[in-house]
Amino acid sequence: SAVISQKPSRDICQRGTSLTIQCQVDSQVTMMFWYRQQPGQSLTLIATANQGSEATYESGFVIDKFPISRPNLTFSTLTVSNMSPEDSSIYLCSVSGTGGGEQYFGPGTRLTVT
Amino acid sequence: GEDVEQSLFLSVREGDSSVINCTYTDSSSTYLYWYKQEPGAGLQLLTYIFSNMDMKQDQRLTVLLNKKDKHLSLRIADTQTGDSAIYFCAETSGGGADGLTFGKGTHLIIQP
């Protein structure tokens, strides 16, 4: 399975600021995804991070609020822009495995907006 | 949109079998997954099953898929205190190329 790291692991930010979350994988992967897990809730897909092109966003998520970069096959960033307390969540990246079907998750970034 | 439903809580005695159930609506699901999340931790992929299979077994874990009824279950044999966690069911219709749709998770509570 892929080894996935995220930075930072947690942060406390003031409203109106932005935070960039990094996701690093120890091997090249085709697909990378970003999810949000609001407190006590399930996971919701934010977007698919496409290498070399713009990310594909799910309904309810927009590029201006959650810009994503994917400069190569092992790295991606998610920025949470102009934050409000409602953005307080755990943000997780995931990658598809090589066996066909499996998807692995990073440890998550716990964001608190005050 | 597509939906995945799970019971919120399941309580079992230590040593008994746990059966966590999940239903989904996407008739074109290709893969179905079970993830485990312990308090304060990330998501651990427990197992997944391709939609043309009806059963998969891995040590203490048995996954059953009834594609006709769109029903997925996870059986944990000889449940231990370390199995206490939230178990998420998830599905995708795009193989490894699409993201997953998750259920709300089932809290598995182990009684001594």
Side-chain angles (χ1 to χ4, degrees):
Chain A
S1 64
V3 177
I4 307 166
S5 60
Q6 287 186 232
K7 289 181 182 179
S9 59
R10 59 176 63 226
D11 207 342
I12 301 173
C13 302
Q14 291 194 342
R15 70 170 67 213
T17 63
S18 298
L19 176 72
T20 295
I21 302 167
Q22 299 179 3
C23 178
Q24 179 76 53
V25 192
D26 67 341
S27 58
Q28 292 187 342
V29 293
T30 306
M31 306 303 297
M32 295 182 77
F33 308 93
W34 287 97
Y35 291 81
R36 179 175 72 182
Q37 186 177 25
Q38 294 177 299
Q41 302 296 315
S42 186
L43 284 82
T44 301
L45 179 66
I46 296 172
T48 301
N50 301 308
Q51 196 264 330
S53 64
E54 200 170 275
T56 304
Y57 290 84
E58 298 298 304
S59 175
F61 297 96
V62 295
I63 187 171
D64 289 346
K65 177 67 176 176
F66 297 102
I68 288 170
S69 79
R70 175 96 190 267
N72 56 53
L73 293 176
T74 63
F75 186 79
S76 177
T77 67
L78 169 75
T79 299
V80 186
S81 302
N82 188 24
M83 290 184 284
S84 67
E86 292 70 35
D87 295 319
S88 297
S89 295
I90 300 173
Y91 292 86
L92 303 100
C93 69
S94 77
V95 305
S96 56
T98 56
E102 68 263 31
Q103 292 200 13
Y104 301 102
F105 281 78
T109 295
R110 186 178 294 269
L111 170 62
T112 302
V113 183
T114 61
Chain B
E2 303 305 339
D3 202 16
V4 178
E5 297 285 342
Q6 301 177 241
S7 300
L8 290 183
F9 296 95
L10 176 66
S11 179
V12 298
R13 289 189 179 275
E14 189 174 359
D16 287 352
S17 292
S18 305
V19 180
I20 304 171
N21 294 301
C22 168
T23 59
Y24 60 97
T25 60
D26 188 355
S27 58
S28 59
S29 290
T30 51
Y31 290 97
L32 296 114
Y33 304 79
W34 286 105
Y35 286 89
K36 176 183 181 182
Q37 187 177 41
E38 297 180 82
L43 259 71
Q44 175 192 354
L45 176 61
L46 286 178
T47 185
Y48 70 102
I49 189 168
F50 187 51
S51 59
N52 69 352
M53 300 170 64
D54 51 20
M55 188 181 92
K56 183 177 181 180
Q57 190 156 0
D58 183 4
Q59 298 183 359
R60 291 192 299 126
L61 304 180
T62 303
V63 177
L64 295 178
L65 173 61
N66 182 327
K67 198 172 178 182
K68 174 177 169 290
D69 293 340
K70 298 191 185 68
H71 182 269
L72 182 75
S73 67
L74 173 69
R75 177 177 179 270
I76 305 172
D78 186 25
T79 307
Q80 303 297 311
T81 55
D83 295 323
S84 179
I86 301 175
Y87 290 80
F88 289 97
C89 173
E91 66 88 23
T92 184
S93 57
D98 286 354
L100 308 184
T101 299
F102 280 82
K104 293 189 185 304
T106 299
H107 294 243
L108 179 61
I109 301 162
I110 315 300
Q111 297 176 352

